[in-house]
Amino acid sequence: MQTAGKVFVVTGAGNGIGRQVAVELIAQGATVAAVDINENGLRQTVSEAGLRPSGDEAGLRPTGSEEGSRISTHVLDVSDGDAVAAFPQVVLDAHGVVDGLFNIAGIAQDFESTSGITPERIDQIMAVNFHGTVAMTRAFLPHLAERPDGGRVMLTSSLSALVPVPGAAVYGASKAAIAYFGYGLAQDLRRQCPSVKATTVIPGTIWTDIVRNSAQTMGVPVAVAKTFAMPARKAAKRMISSTMKGRTSVVIGKDAHVYRTLQRVSSVLAERVSYIQVGTFVYRGNAGELSGGTDSRP
């Protein structure tokens, strides 16, 4: 599938990887329905894309100029099931059709132990990262199936789905769940609707605000952390390319490739390397207490 002339929904478009995917899709000639819980973040995405902000106060309509009509902004919490179920019609009203969905919205865990994280936080992480992704995908699938040349769905997993990361057990569980949902979805579509393709992306360390905040929390120099991270714009291009090609899965980032290779050699070795690399900075204080972190939506 070519991106030019198509309409894509991008969740988490107000920051990080989601913003870069939205900006890159527009640069490639597509129209984007940009979704995020953060309205200010969406405004910044519109600005970075070089488009004129919408005059509609609700943020639910595309901008008025010919160039600006290639983006609409939508404030939406993907964990709100009723709002998600109603959202495809909002996109259809704004753009007429929808050709693809990029599920990128998610929240990170704050380097908390499994005994230290609260039940409410566990529910929130799973509600946004997993249930939100599933709900958005199910809501848009019937519309994607109607497209004459097929539709595309991208689901964002994580390096944490390949190897356990200290202080991120719940986050890793949510991302592993997304990965296996994506793989199963691809199987279902192969039988039920071959024209629609589902791509599960497993990104490693991508340079975003979340990674910057995590590095600062762990006491890692920002310059060092940035050296090992893939630029978000580069990751966005890989995500888009792989999704347009209809690949079932793709691993992005040097560290993700390293850990996938280690996992194939020895799961014990991969786990030990992760512990040494991350646990050294994360586990601090008495009896292995964990350092605090910051909440951030990509």
Side-chain angles (χ1 to χ4, degrees):
M1 176 188 286
Q2 299 295 318
T3 56
K6 305 296 184 182
V7 176
F8 298 99
V9 175
V10 181
T11 70
N15 197 359
I17 299 173
R19 172 180 292 170
Q20 295 307 314
V21 167
V23 170
E24 182 59 28
L25 283 169
I26 290 169
Q28 293 183 19
T31 295
V32 170
V35 180
D36 203 280
I37 197 170
N38 187 329
E39 186 174 5
N40 289 332
L42 288 172
R43 290 197 183 99
Q44 293 173 25
T45 298
V46 172
S47 177
E48 186 167 331
L51 304 180
R52 185 170 60 82
S54 171
D56 181 64
E57 291 184 358
L60 297 179
R61 297 178 183 173
T63 54
S65 66
E66 180 179 354
E67 179 69 12
S69 65
R70 288 177 45 216
I71 190 169
S72 60
T73 58
H74 310 268
V75 178
L76 176 71
D77 182 349
V78 298
S79 67
D80 183 338
D82 291 339
V84 167
F87 186 59
Q89 189 59 52
V90 174
V91 177
L92 293 176
D93 289 344
H95 300 292
V97 298
V98 59
D99 297 288
L101 167 65
F102 285 79
N103 288 295
I104 305 173
I107 54 177
Q109 190 174 339
D110 301 342
F111 295 126
E112 300 156 302
S113 68
T114 53
S115 59
I117 188 171
T118 66
E120 293 77 16
R121 183 61 172 168
I122 291 174
D123 290 344
Q124 183 187 33
I125 290 173
M126 294 303 297
V128 174
N129 292 2
F130 178 64
H131 294 296
T133 295
V134 172
M136 285 290 291
T137 300
R138 285 168 51 86
F140 278 96
L141 275 179
H143 304 284
L144 299 180
E146 294 176 354
R147 301 305 296 147
D149 54 351
R152 294 291 185 269
V153 179
M154 194 206 78
L155 308 98
T156 308
S157 182
S158 168
L159 170 63
S160 299
L162 290 177
V163 63
V165 176
V170 176
Y171 175 79
S174 72
K175 290 299 186 176
I178 288 174
Y180 280 91
F181 171 74
Y183 302 150
L185 173 64
Q187 295 282 45
D188 290 344
L189 292 173
R190 184 176 296 153
R191 174 70 177 180
Q192 298 174 340
C193 189
S195 64
V196 179
K197 306 295 183 182
T199 300
T200 300
V201 176
I202 302 179
T205 305
I206 310 300
W207 190 247
T208 63
D209 289 342
I210 286 180
V211 173
R212 181 186 292 105
N213 292 338
S214 297
Q216 292 173 340
T217 297
M218 292 190 297
V220 178
V222 171
V224 173
K226 191 172 183 179
T227 299
F228 288 95
M230 174 181 280
R233 190 66 178 269
K234 183 177 181 180
K237 290 181 178 180
R238 287 286 309 280
M239 287 177 159
I240 294 168
S241 174
S242 299
T243 301
M244 294 303 101
K245 291 176 182 177
R247 294 182 58 181
T248 300
S249 65
V250 59
V251 175
I252 296 176
K254 293 181 180 179
D255 55 347
H257 281 285
V258 168
Y259 275 111
R260 184 176 65 168
T261 300
L262 289 175
Q263 192 72 263
R264 288 172 174 173
V265 173
S266 169
S267 59
V268 174
L269 175 61
E271 182 271 331
R272 293 291 177 85
V273 172
S274 175
Y275 184 88
I276 292 171
Q277 181 185 25
V278 183
T280 302
F281 299 100
V282 172
Y283 295 115
R284 293 176 177 175
N286 296 325
E289 288 295 328
L290 291 167
S291 61
T294 56
D295 180 16
S296 166
R297 289 180 183 243

